Amino acid sequence: MFELRNVLRMDALASGALGLVLAALCAVLAEPLGIPVPVSLIAGVGLVGWAAFVGWVSSGLKPGMVREVISINVLYVLGSAAYAFLGGLTGLGTAFVLVQAVAVLGLTAFQLTGLSSVRAVPAG
């Protein structure tokens, strides 16, 4: 359905955009979302770094590196879900965290599908 390289690039773009929003607007978003400024800032900067890594992985498509992206995305989704329910967020904050977690889960599913097609292609 989607080419693996493009799905990884979408992941990098979305991660980078969310990271920039969280970092740049951490003080503005704190009250409506219930995400403390330091958490938002750290998550935002981390997501920008993550976006750079995923973008780099998209340029090489090495199966081991793609598996790392998939694994970390799964951990991110699980962590986001836990934070949504245990983090003391507002209703809007819970929705915000869950919506982005579902988006990451969807991208991860496409990455997993794309990885299986990359592995099916004979080397050479």
Side-chain angles (χ1 to χ4, degrees), residues 1-73:
M1 182 168 178
F2 291 106
E3 182 186 343
L4 178 58
R5 184 179 317 277
N6 291 335
V7 175
L8 287 165
R9 288 178 178 162
M10 284 189 288
D11 188 348
L13 181 64
S15 296
L18 180 60
L20 289 173
V21 166
L22 288 173
L25 301 176
C26 57
V28 174
L29 296 173
E31 188 176 330
L33 300 181
I35 301 174
V37 170
V39 172
S40 185
L41 186 58
I42 290 168
V45 171
L47 282 168
V48 170
W50 173 248
F53 173 73
V54 175
W56 175 74
V57 170
S58 77
S59 68
L61 293 182
K62 294 180 182 170
M65 298 304 288
V66 175
R67 280 192 294 276
E68 290 296 323
V69 169
I70 291 168
S71 298
I72 293 170
N73 276 347

